[in-house]
Amino acid sequence: NGLLMWMSQSSWPSFMWQTYDYYLDTNGGYFGTKAGNQPTQPVWDPRNDNITLCNFTTRPYTDVTTTLTVYDLNGGVVAAETYNTPSLASNAYGVRLDTITAKLAESPTDMVFIKLVLKDSRGEVLGENIYWHNKTTYLANQALTTLADADLTASVLGQRVLENGNVEYTITVKNDTAVPAVQTRIRTISEVTGEDVLPAFYSDNYFTLMPGDTKVVTVEFNPKYLEGGGNRFTLSGWNTVAETVA
């Protein structure tokens, strides 16, 4: 119970280390925990630069592929590799694919981004992770403050009413710029109050988009919180240019 209280109460409204806050907003800690608990995923180990696979499900997979892309701080690709794994057993952990220290060394900047995507034999994504890392001094991430602005493109693909009466919107966000967009956040805003619609349930948020990447996000909420009006979505982030999505 102590852990639950610590991770659910804000120390200050702008701090995002908690999983959710007093206002029922799911913060950065929630989505970080969600990513870390993907049942099947590729993992980079900062202790030894190993790339490994884990599959904490009862289902075995065959012919899976893992795509590694290493970017420098400015979004340039410095290394790329695809690994084929004939068999990924159920309840498997630590299936080593490679040690990427040499690949990280190819970056002209100390700060790098490591993107890993694991797909099944049909090409469906089983799990993915993006890490930012200082290859010279661990956890020295100050260089992120020098990132140029990323002006993302976003649009609402559609909406539907769910059986529980909630509405669900599907939003696509694309990074057409040449720089990484770090900790991009989608917010749902009531046009009546001008405040966040809460609670709202996002399939993902506080995400990083590398140059050329696209992410599809669903947002679900009860329309009663709109108080008879409409809603809009906004984008913001560490270096994401704030804008309103129609």
Side-chain angles (χ1 to χ4, degrees):
N1 289 337
L3 178 63
L4 175 63
M5 289 298 294
W6 173 63
M7 290 302 292
S8 64
Q9 301 299 312
S10 305
S11 59
W12 192 260
S14 63
F15 287 0
M16 298 302 175
W17 50 263
Q18 70 278 351
T19 51
Y20 64 94
D21 63 22
Y22 175 85
Y23 306 98
L24 301 181
D25 190 11
T26 44
N27 303 134
Y30 171 85
F31 295 99
T33 302
K34 181 181 178 181
N37 282 278
Q38 295 174 93
T40 306
Q41 61 176 307
V43 178
W44 164 70
D45 190 335
R47 298 171 299 178
N48 50 28
D49 288 333
N50 282 349
I51 300 297
T52 61
L53 302 181
C54 66
N55 177 27
F56 294 131
T57 73
T58 58
R59 175 183 175 180
Y61 292 94
T62 58
D63 299 322
V64 298
T65 58
T66 306
T67 302
L68 161 74
T69 312
V70 179
Y71 302 81
D72 63 23
L73 175 63
N74 302 309
V77 175
V78 297
E81 190 82 35
T82 299
Y83 306 92
N84 298 309
T85 305
S87 177
L88 180 59
S90 61
N91 297 314
Y93 179 76
V95 180
R96 181 182 172 278
L97 300 180
D98 197 4
T99 300
I100 64 169
T101 306
K103 292 181 174 62
L104 301 182
E106 296 179 25
S107 171
T109 61
D110 289 340
M111 283 294 302
V112 296
F113 293 88
I114 303 166
K115 179 181 177 181
L116 294 167
V117 181
L118 174 64
K119 295 183 179 180
D120 64 16
S121 57
R122 298 174 300 174
E124 299 292 329
V125 175
L126 296 174
E128 59 183 315
N129 280 305
I130 294 180
Y131 306 88
W132 56 80
H133 169 58
N134 188 313
K135 61 187 175 67
T136 301
T137 306
Y138 185 53
L139 295 182
N141 298 329
Q142 293 91 334
L144 290 174
T145 61
T146 66
L147 280 173
D149 288 342
D151 192 357
L152 307 186
T153 302
S155 59
V156 178
L157 297 181
Q159 69 179 93
R160 62 180 181 134
V161 178
L162 305 179
E163 292 184 359
N164 60 6
N166 288 357
V167 293
E168 181 186 78
Y169 287 83
T170 302
I171 302 171
T172 181
V173 185
K174 185 175 183 181
N175 184 4
D176 287 318
T177 67
V179 299
V182 177
Q183 290 291 81
T184 296
R185 180 191 181 191
I186 301 174
R187 295 171 61 194
T188 306
I189 306 297
S190 166
E191 292 184 341
V192 173
T193 65
E195 298 178 349
D196 289 82
V197 177
L198 297 172
F201 305 98
Y202 300 84
S203 60
D204 201 3
N205 221 341
Y206 295 91
F207 48 82
T208 295
L209 286 180
M210 302 310 296
D213 279 359
T214 299
K215 179 174 282 290
V216 177
V217 177
T218 59
V219 184
E220 176 187 343
F221 60 87
N222 191 321
K224 72 179 182 181
Y225 298 120
L226 298 179
E227 301 183 14
N231 65 279
R232 66 182 187 275
F233 301 101
T234 65
L235 288 181
S236 59
W238 178 262
N239 67 318
T240 299
V241 177
E243 65 174 52
T244 299
V245 182

